[in-house]
Amino acid sequence: MPAKRTTILVADDEPQLLRLITRNLQLEEYEVLAASDGQQALDAIEAHVPDLVLLDVMMPRMDGFTVAERVREFSAVPIIIVTARGQDQDKIRGLDVGADDYLTKPFSVDELLARVRAVLRRARLSANESAQGARTKMSSGDLTIDFAQHIVTMQGKEVTLTPIEYRLLSYLMQNAGRVVTHDLLLEHVWGAEYVGESHLLQVNMNRLRRKIEPDAAHPHYVLTKAGVGYIFPGQPVAQS
């Protein structure tokens, strides 16, 4: 029985660009679903559960930001948000509503495929870490991470994290008491090709704090070392 092909949903209201992206992804042997507006994209994600979503910001019926927000209510599927050149606020907003990465128009086919491969690689790595992880939990105060089940809880209640947020917290807790530099976090969580893209790290760290900190403005679990990186200051207790 042949292996299931990786499925990518592409949502863009520009027919020519939609065809171009679809064709190039198909040449790489991805299964491609196409949507020309935000509502179509959301319906297709719910119906087909793709492995990756490539989501344009400006679309009729529902923009890409709204689609990403809706998707994050029920799925952690990786999302690449597509923005116009020079619209840095769109990139930040896209990451803030739950996108994993961004792509800036106009882009080359090589850049498109590189971003797709990088996001899919991170998703597979997170899944493998969960499947192969030792049955160990680490706790600090009210915060607990279960590495085997890929679950984070606060006061016994599960906290829904994206794969990137989970990997950030996991890496910091495993290195508790040590400052982890920006570049080391970027390389570990996103990949070596993302070193220097500090906005990716900052936006995702802010989002993580809003989910795990009692007061995100005065964090207790993830502290900033200005100009250097981040530190999980406590020493979590390991449990088998």
Side-chain angles (χ1 to χ4, degrees), residues 119-141:
V119 172
L120 288 171
R121 183 177 66 243
R122 289 197 297 269
R124 285 192 295 268
L125 184 58
S126 292
N128 289 340
E129 286 174 348
S130 179
Q132 298 172 7
R135 294 202 170 274
T136 301
K137 297 180 181 180
M138 295 180 72
S139 297
S140 178

Side-chain angles (χ1 to χ4, degrees), residues 69-133:
E69 285 181 310
R70 297 277 186 88
V71 169
R72 283 293 173 255
E73 293 174 0
F74 64 87
S75 173
V77 60
I79 297 172
I80 299 176
I81 200 91
V82 181
T83 69
R85 184 174 300 281
Q87 299 298 314
D88 289 343
Q89 289 304 311
D90 281 354
K91 297 174 188 175
I92 293 171
R93 185 180 173 190
L95 294 169
D96 203 39
V97 297
D100 298 81
D101 204 348
Y102 67 87
L103 192 61
T104 303
K105 292 181 181 180
F107 48 80
S108 67
V109 172
D110 287 344
E111 184 182 5
L112 164 69
L113 296 176
R115 291 283 183 175
V116 165
R117 285 192 293 266
V119 172
L120 288 171
R121 183 177 66 243
R122 289 197 297 269
R124 285 192 295 268
L125 184 58
S126 292
N128 289 340
E129 286 174 348
S130 179
Q132 298 172 7

Side-chain angles (χ1 to χ4, degrees), residues 4 6-10 31 33 41-55 64 67-81 94-95 97-101 116 119-124 126-127 160-165 204 207 211:
K4 178 181 178 293
T6 298
T7 302
I8 300 175
L9 172 75
V10 182
E31 186 78 30
L33 306 171
L42 185 61
D43 292 344
I45 294 166
E46 293 179 324
H48 299 286
V49 193
D51 299 290
L52 172 65
V53 175
L54 199 64
L55 198 59
V67 175
E69 285 181 310
R70 297 277 186 88
V71 169
R72 283 293 173 255
E73 293 174 0
F74 64 87
S75 173
V77 60
I79 297 172
I80 299 176
I81 200 91
L95 294 169
V97 297
D100 298 81
D101 204 348
V116 165
V119 172
L120 288 171
R121 183 177 66 243
R122 289 197 297 269
R124 285 192 295 268
S126 292
T160 303
L161 300 182
T162 66
I164 282 179
E165 293 162 359
N204 280 278
R207 204 169 62 210
K211 293 181 178 181

